[in-house]
Amino acid sequence: MDATITESLTVSKIRKSYPESILEVYPSKDDDAILIKKENIIAILTLLRDDKELDYNMLMDVGVVDYLKYPIRKRERFEVFYQMYSLTKLHRIRIKCPVSIKEPTIDSANDLWKSANWGEREAFDQFGIKFNNHPNLKRILNHHEFVGHPLRKDYPTKK
């Protein structure tokens, strides 16, 4: 960690409550990012939402990054990310979770934020990530008979 950047309150609280879940921290003067194990995603998102000092009351985005062709990929092929914002505290954080190609699943955040619904459905449609306990996980951009996931890096571009 850069000596000029101190650990944020958000990262400190996650580290205190779920130290075994943290894989990596990317500190920043503006927006921290933290890579965590997917098994505790709902517990950590709940902490971010319910802790009065943090008050992350807005899920801005849910998305996926495919690291298939990234030259120094350290972990799994995919990372599901959650971009969070606090309207009262005016701070942001990005929570990222590695998700494998062999088991492309993660728990749904839809029960915490209804805004997760669209992003999770889009991630399912475009990347094939399944969100456990999602109330309506079906294609949202592609036709229901479409075969494949067009934002995966190995999807044939001429298909």
Side-chain angles (χ1 to χ4, degrees):
M1 182 186 296
D2 183 349
T4 62
I5 300 174
T6 59
E7 188 168 89
S8 71
L9 176 63
T10 302
V11 172
S12 295
K13 286 198 175 223
I14 293 171
R15 189 179 303 284
K16 181 179 177 190
S17 298
Y18 301 97
E20 72 290 345
S21 292
I22 297 174
L23 299 170
E24 212 163 325
V25 176
Y26 311 96
S28 169
K29 291 179 183 173
D30 301 316
D31 299 341
D32 287 326
I34 185 166
L35 186 68
I36 63 166
K37 295 177 185 175
K38 71 176 185 174
E39 291 76 18
N40 285 334
I41 186 60
I42 298 305
I44 290 171
L45 292 177
T46 301
L47 170 73
L48 296 177
R49 184 193 66 182
D50 294 348
D51 186 290
K52 296 301 178 201
E53 287 183 287
L54 301 178
D55 195 28
Y56 284 96
N57 48 15
M58 182 178 184
L59 175 64
M60 294 171 43
D61 197 13
V62 177
V64 179
V65 177
D66 183 351
Y67 287 107
L68 176 68
K69 296 181 181 179
Y70 192 68
I72 55 170
R73 188 179 75 222
K74 299 179 195 174
R75 292 183 177 81
E76 300 296 347
R77 176 169 169 180
F78 301 109
E79 279 182 5
V80 174
F81 68 86
Y82 304 82
Q83 186 69 37
M84 314 291 303
Y85 184 66
S86 171
L87 295 165
T88 58
K89 308 294 182 184
L90 306 178
H91 54 212
R92 293 184 281 234
I93 192 163
R94 182 176 308 109
I95 304 295
K96 305 187 311 179
C97 298
V99 175
S100 74
I101 187 71
K102 292 179 184 174
E103 188 184 343
T105 63
I106 191 167
D107 292 334
S108 174
N110 188 71
D111 286 344
L112 298 173
W113 292 280
K114 296 303 175 198
S115 61
N117 191 305
W118 177 280
E120 290 178 354
R121 285 181 63 190
E122 183 177 13
F124 168 71
D125 190 7
Q126 301 297 298
F127 292 94
I129 305 296
K130 295 180 179 107
F131 291 84
N132 302 323
N133 302 314
H134 190 283
N136 189 25
L137 196 60
K138 61 183 181 182
R139 290 197 178 271
I140 196 165
L141 298 173
N142 293 308
H143 190 273
H144 70 279
E145 293 177 356
F146 183 86
V147 177
H149 305 287
L151 290 185
R152 285 187 177 184
K153 300 268 189 219
D154 57 357
Y155 187 79
T157 56
K158 302 209 188 266
K159 190 171 181 180

